[in-house]
Amino acid sequence: MFQGFEPAVVDFMWGIRFNNSREWFEPRKAEYKEIFEAPMKELCRDLYTGFTDKHPDLGMVSRVSRIYRDARRLFGWGPYKDHLWLTISQPAERWACQPVFWFELGPEEYSFGLGYWMAQALTMAKVRARMDRDPKVMEKLARAVNKQDTFRLQGETFKRPKEAPSKLLEPWYNLKGGFSLSCERPHDDLLWSPDLPGHILEEWEKLLPLFRYLTTLDGDPDPREN
């Protein structure tokens, strides 16, 4: 059961940021497992259990990122990540192209929310086609998002805006690719507390109607073929 992260994890993440090498990391691997990896996995288990107990119909799976960077994508960053994240989503061959609930802890802050790591062009085309066909459904979801003050819509938009069905839908209609509803916070007392999973689950519930909406997009026809 998650008991909270230790404040020492912040110094450890900064240590990776400024000393990203095997020579620095290997002598501290046991520390990494104790103060970073283990509590992240405990948090993931608590979030997964809490979420799936309440919504067993969604058939969710969970994952925790590895500290090791993909050797094919180092790009001069060094072999280790200075942050870890977890996701809870429906199973998919390419999970990054599906909507996921997530939590991430980095040196400067922690964050959580709902979004796509890499929404495909077809996915976004289907989102816009749905808004064109039946804008009222997405308008209801957009109003719910606008009423809450935890999450903020983030994502790249078209440089030349498209004409949305309504003013309310403009921010959503003009999303180009991956997007998220994100809550970003400085390291605070909640991060060190066993109350963190319950708080995240409560906030995720606000986004569940949007998640259900997004998970049905795969069944829509390709609007680009019309």
Side-chain angles (χ1 to χ4, degrees):
M1 183 175 292
F2 180 77
Q3 296 300 313
F5 289 98
E6 297 181 26
V9 74
V10 178
D11 289 336
F12 188 86
M13 289 185 290
W14 281 113
I16 295 177
R17 173 76 62 87
F18 294 114
N19 305 277
N20 202 320
S21 68
R22 181 180 176 84
E23 291 74 21
W24 185 90
F25 182 81
E26 283 300 317
R28 297 168 176 83
K29 191 171 182 177
E31 180 185 7
Y32 156 72
K33 288 183 173 293
E34 179 182 354
I35 69 172
F36 205 175
E37 183 183 60
M40 183 66 78
K41 288 183 175 181
E42 290 166 358
L43 176 60
C44 187
R45 282 192 291 268
D46 285 3
L47 290 172
Y48 176 77
T49 300
F51 193 92
T52 55
D53 282 353
K54 194 169 184 179
H55 307 290
D57 61 302
L58 290 174
M60 307 291 267
V61 296
S62 63
R63 61 181 59 80
V64 175
S65 65
R66 300 172 71 244
I67 194 70
Y68 306 99
R69 293 187 185 276
D70 188 332
R72 299 166 298 177
R73 298 179 174 87
L74 293 181
F75 305 120
W77 288 99
Y80 306 103
K81 303 185 186 103
D82 59 11
H83 60 280
L84 287 182
W85 49 258
L86 64 86
T87 61
I88 295 177
S89 65
Q90 293 183 329
E93 183 177 349
R94 298 182 64 189
W95 68 266
C97 299
Q98 300 295 319
V100 300
F101 289 98
W102 54 271
F103 169 88
E104 184 173 12
L105 176 57
E108 298 92 350
E109 63 185 11
Y110 70 98
S111 58
F112 57 92
L114 168 68
Y116 289 86
W117 248 256
M118 294 183 295
Q120 296 178 309
L122 175 58
T123 299
M124 301 311 299
K126 288 181 176 182
V127 171
R128 290 189 291 274
R130 274 198 182 184
M131 287 190 252
D132 288 333
R133 290 195 307 270
D134 188 2
K136 293 187 181 300
V137 176
M138 188 61 202
E139 285 176 343
K140 182 179 179 180
L141 295 171
R143 288 191 188 96
V145 169
N146 291 347
K147 286 179 181 178
Q148 57 80 44
D149 57 5
T150 301
F151 301 101
R152 181 167 61 92
L153 180 62
Q154 298 178 334
E156 183 183 2
T157 57
F158 291 105
K159 293 181 179 179
R160 184 172 298 176
K162 297 177 180 292
E163 185 176 353
S166 68
K167 186 74 174 179
L168 179 62
L169 294 180
E170 282 182 359
W172 300 87
Y173 200 86
N174 282 286
L175 289 166
K176 185 176 181 180
F179 67 91
S180 69
L181 285 161
S182 178
C183 173
E184 299 170 349
R185 294 182 175 174
H187 303 138
D188 55 17
D189 289 344
L190 185 62
L191 191 63
W192 326 128
S193 167
D195 295 333
L196 181 63
H199 177 79
I200 293 173
L201 287 169
E202 183 178 340
E203 296 296 337
W204 278 354
E205 283 295 314
K206 298 175 182 178
L207 305 178
L208 186 61
L210 178 62
F211 177 79
R212 289 184 179 276
Y213 179 84
L214 295 173
T215 55
T216 60
L217 287 170
D218 285 346
D220 287 5
D222 187 342
R224 301 171 302 181
E225 295 178 353
N226 296 333

